[in-house]
Amino acid sequence: MAKAAVTVIGLGEMGRALADALVTAGHPTTVWNRSAAKADDLVARGAVRAATVEEAVLAGPLVLVCLLDDDIARATLRPAADALRGRTLVNLTNGTPAQAREAESWAADHGAAYLDGGIMAIPSTIATPEAFVLYSGRKADFAAHRETLEVLGAARYLGADTGMAPLYDLALLSAMDMMFEGFFHSVALATSHGDGDAAGFTELLVPWLTSMLRLLPTLAADVDSDADADAEPVFAQGLDVVLAGARNMARASRDAGVRADHFERSAAALEEQLAEGLTTYTAPGVVRRLRTSG
Ligand code: FVH
């Protein structure tokens, strides 16, 4: 059966990987990028280079957009707004839930269906079993294009509220970001002494973090049962113990000439909680505090 035609607007690192996956899967693929030369390899492999965004949009029923940010995506699409009528716009540009909802309403004003997407992959893992992409928007629009979208990575539909895909995308990215920050801090501390190197230290860090990751479902269940007054969190530590650890991490970092601000802030927050009479450190307690601390 003939594969559906797809347009890809934006051929940065990610857009090129998306277009490449579609060409490889046999989809007639039309591409547009501000710097036209980035389409050269794709064109050599069978993609069609559109001269304008409007020409690209008119080439098929499904338009994927993957640009640097939401403002650029909107400015790029504006001149082709009328051409979007009757088509489905899938915005894979990283953005916020509010931006997604605004874009959906803008697309509706121009007669286009809208899905927002969050790519949970890097360019080299697109179209591999590792990649998954979050989508939100009208279910019928997702269902109509699901088969094509599955080419990019497993397509995970999160619901009709268009803001859900960017919300989960940014939540997942925030966990990744803090993990990398933690990694860089730990490497700076571990290698501050002169002996040892980052690679040797990382051989210890990976099994340690892997073991800690196994705790996450327990913590999540504790958070989910927070509304139940009778529920006791499975995971609980003394606040004083957690505070002593935070102070030691701050002190050792300062002694080693490594920035200690994260642990100083943690220690200050824990001191505040102890002063309020709290004694236990639990996952629901931490999440509740984050939700209310603006
Ligand atoms: N790369 C990644 O690993 C992540 C994975 C998760 C999803 N992100 C998001 O994908 C969007 C694009 O990211 P990218 O990696 O493709 O980024 P670049 O390679 O820097 O390409 C940027 C594209 O945006 C175009 N562009 C930039 N400024 C303008 C402008 N003023 N007018 C029109 N187009 C513009 C740029 O065009 P050019 O510089 O090649 O002419 C590229 O097409 C992003 O939201 C990530 O968060 C990627």
Side-chain angles (χ1 to χ4, degrees):
M1 214 168 74
K3 299 277 176 94
V6 188
T7 290
V8 179
I9 293 175
L11 299 175
E13 295 292 326
M14 184 51 85
R16 286 204 302 284
L18 301 175
D20 188 67
L22 291 161
V23 170
T24 303
H27 286 272
T29 305
T30 300
V31 295
W32 179 90
N33 193 58
R34 177 182 65 170
S35 312
K38 286 192 182 167
D40 288 353
D41 289 349
L42 288 160
V43 169
R45 299 195 50 236
V48 173
R49 185 192 336 249
T52 63
V53 177
E54 186 181 29
E55 188 184 311
V57 168
L58 289 170
L62 182 61
V63 179
L64 309 185
V65 178
C66 188
L67 291 160
L68 188 61
D69 64 30
D70 186 73
D71 287 344
I72 290 169
R74 203 75 73 78
T76 301
L77 288 170
R78 206 170 289 126
D82 292 338
L84 283 167
R85 183 163 299 280
R87 298 169 208 285
T88 299
L89 176 61
V90 181
N91 190 4
L92 298 166
T93 305
N94 186 266
T96 68
Q99 287 171 335
R101 292 183 192 114
E102 276 171 38
E104 179 183 38
S105 137
W106 178 85
D109 288 346
H110 293 92
Y114 182 88
L115 295 170
D116 209 274
I119 302 175
M120 307 320 300
I122 55 174
S124 61
T125 60
I126 287 295
T128 72
E130 244 180 82
F132 62 102
V133 185
L134 311 173
Y135 296 96
S136 51
R138 242 171 45 100
K139 194 168 190 175
D141 299 326
F142 173 71
H145 297 288
R146 179 174 198 149
E147 203 177 317
T148 304
L149 297 173
E150 292 278 2
V151 167
L152 312 175
R156 303 282 297 266
Y157 178 69
L158 296 183
D161 176 352
T162 323
M164 284 305 288
L167 182 70
Y168 271 51
D169 179 18
L170 292 173
L172 290 165
L173 289 178
S174 68
M176 178 197 76
D177 202 65
M178 290 187 201
M179 179 194 73
F180 283 128
E181 278 292 312
F183 168 69
F184 296 131
H185 181 94
S186 69
V187 165
L189 186 57
T191 57
S192 63
H193 191 260
D195 288 339
D197 57 15
F201 170 72
T202 303
E203 282 176 22
L204 298 174
L205 180 64
V206 170
W208 168 242
L209 288 183
T210 304
S211 147
M212 288 301 99
L213 275 178
R214 291 195 197 102
L215 269 181
L216 296 187
T218 303
L219 302 182
D222 282 350
V223 171
D224 285 341
S225 62
D226 194 29
D228 176 354
D230 297 330
E232 278 293 319
V234 174
F235 173 87
Q237 276 190 297
L239 263 181
D240 51 353
V241 175
V242 180
L243 173 59
R247 282 181 178 150
N248 284 340
M249 286 183 269
R251 197 174 300 135
S253 299
R254 280 194 301 271
D255 291 349
V258 174
R259 290 180 68 135
D261 25 347
H262 168 79
F263 297 108
E264 283 161 355
R265 276 199 310 279
S266 288
L270 292 161
E271 278 159 12
E272 228 174 74
Q273 291 165 54
L274 276 170
E276 287 166 16
L278 300 173
T279 55
T280 319
Y281 180 90
T282 65
V286 175
V287 171
R288 237 182 289 124
R289 248 186 138 75
L290 281 169
R291 281 189 181 134
T292 54
S293 61

